[in-house]
Amino acid sequence: METGIVKSIPSNNQTVILMISIGLGTALIATMFLVQDLLINRVRISSEQSQANMLMFDIQPSQADELKSLANTEGYPILEAVPIVTMQLQSVNGTTLKDVVADSTNEVNSRAFRGEIRATYRDSLTSSESLTSGKFVGKVGKNDTASVSLDKGYAENIKVKVGDRLEFNVQGLIVPAKVSSIRQVDWNRFQSNFRVVFASGTIDQAPQFYLMMTKVPTEIESSKFQQKIVNSFPNVSVIDMNAVLKVLQEILDKIGFIIQFMGAFSILTGIIVLISSVRISKFQRIRENVLLRTLGASRKQIYLITISEYLFLGLLSALTGVIIALVASYLLAIFVFESVFVPSILMILILIFLIVGLTVIVGLINSLAVINKSPSRSLTKGVMIKILFYQNSKRFLTNF
């Protein structure tokens, strides 16, 4: 084993090139599998027993009770019914969009005033929310100033903290509000989450529509239920998360095929380099073989030395590629997908096993001709080559 490891240290056998080629291919393929598994698992949560998998929105207040009744009749209880009020941010501590545009040094982001906000009102936090600062106010009187709770990311974006004063344009009506709390929201969970949540008692009577969620067991039942919703409520939009999951799987499969092809091509390049390396270093390996056989090594021992050499090479390349893939996937999960990264240990072990096995098999097959060559034939051939070289050199010098 020690001899095999020493033989794989970079020399004429181009170990570094092999590690780069095979390791890069392993990294590409492993990263694709890990990211694909991450994305599928994020959406697959909607198919859990306790999670909703059908979303209905644009429901008018006059339709809410009828739609609930229809869902209950079909055996699909409404798991969540949330009122939504559309509005725009009018001012932050007295600063309006006009002030921000006029003063480029103002810390308030001008984009905060341009986008439409879809807010809700309720008297408590949901399971996907936790307070980071302030106190959540669930209800205010009719004559009291509105109290709002902001998502942490949104509050940081518009440079707002607890106690600041905001004004919202609720479809033409200016509503002043005070920031009572900042919330940390888990946006990865399939449920209604909002950047702005009002306390009950302020915008309850504002023009609004409802969002509802339910759980439908099978695709066939989902299709039938959607048809009944469309027939009874043509304005209501329905999203089936099972269908979304299926489409996402198809898209990821297509993207995955391209990336896996690139990874396989890189590994194939590494295999070609491996074969070429064995061919190029053939005479070096013959000398090593003759030396080992002369020192008393059996053919079995030489086989074990060769296997250990390619085993070490394949294992080092595969581990390098997997480590790169794990780091890349972790960074994508945290900074891009904002999700918890839990790699599949089984998939990683299978990939390492396949890469190592492939490297050992290819290297061993291409080394058989060298290993099986007898020392006497190798020495005779080596002496003849040296005699021919000496004769040709002498003839060339005489002619010169």
Side-chain angles (χ1 to χ4, degrees), residues 163-355:
D164 285 348
R165 300 279 177 170
L166 307 177
E167 284 186 339
F168 294 92
N169 185 336
V170 184
Q171 302 180 38
L173 178 66
I174 303 301
V175 178
K178 181 180 179 180
V179 180
S180 64
S181 62
I182 305 296
R183 296 166 293 121
Q184 182 70 53
V185 181
D186 183 5
W187 294 96
N188 294 321
R189 301 182 64 169
F190 184 63
Q191 64 183 72
S192 59
N193 291 313
F194 296 88
R195 294 179 295 170
V196 179
V197 176
F198 279 77
S200 298
T202 304
I203 59 172
D204 304 43
Q205 303 303 318
Q208 58 193 261
F209 63 89
Y210 277 82
L211 176 147
M212 295 185 183
M213 294 185 181
T214 187
K215 172 78 176 179
V216 182
T218 66
E219 290 187 16
I220 296 177
E221 292 180 62
S222 175
S223 179
K224 292 180 179 179
F225 185 50
Q226 288 183 63
Q227 189 62 45
K228 291 182 179 180
I229 293 174
V230 171
N231 292 337
S232 303
F233 311 98
N235 62 293
V236 175
S237 300
V238 181
I239 297 178
D240 183 0
M241 287 306 299
N242 290 327
V244 173
L245 180 63
K246 186 176 180 180
V247 172
L248 178 62
Q249 180 70 65
E250 292 175 355
I251 294 173
L252 290 177
D253 285 343
K254 292 177 181 178
I255 297 174
F257 174 77
I258 297 173
I259 296 179
Q260 289 165 21
F261 175 80
M262 293 170 60
F265 184 78
S266 181
I267 291 179
L268 179 62
T269 303
I271 292 173
I272 294 174
V273 173
L274 177 62
I275 296 173
S276 302
S277 172
V278 174
R279 298 291 185 185
I280 292 171
S281 59
K282 181 176 181 181
F283 292 108
Q284 176 188 345
R285 291 176 179 276
I286 289 175
R287 288 195 296 271
E288 293 172 352
N289 183 28
V290 170
L291 178 60
L292 291 171
R293 296 287 288 273
T294 303
L295 293 174
S298 64
R299 183 172 296 180
K300 180 180 178 181
Q301 289 175 318
I302 295 176
Y303 268 112
L304 291 176
I305 291 172
T306 304
I307 290 174
S308 65
E309 176 185 353
Y310 290 112
L311 179 66
F312 176 76
L313 177 62
L315 185 61
L316 195 57
S317 301
L319 288 176
T320 303
V322 166
I323 291 173
I324 293 173
L326 288 172
V327 172
S329 301
Y330 174 79
L331 294 176
L332 287 172
I334 298 299
F335 296 106
V336 178
F337 303 114
E338 298 181 353
S339 179
V340 177
F341 177 60
V342 182
S344 172
I345 303 300
L346 179 61
M347 186 276 290
I348 292 174
L349 293 177
I350 291 175
L351 185 60
I352 292 176
F353 177 78
L354 290 176
I355 297 299

Side-chain angles (χ1 to χ4, degrees), residues 5 51 144:
I5 293 175
Q51 294 290 327
D144 295 336

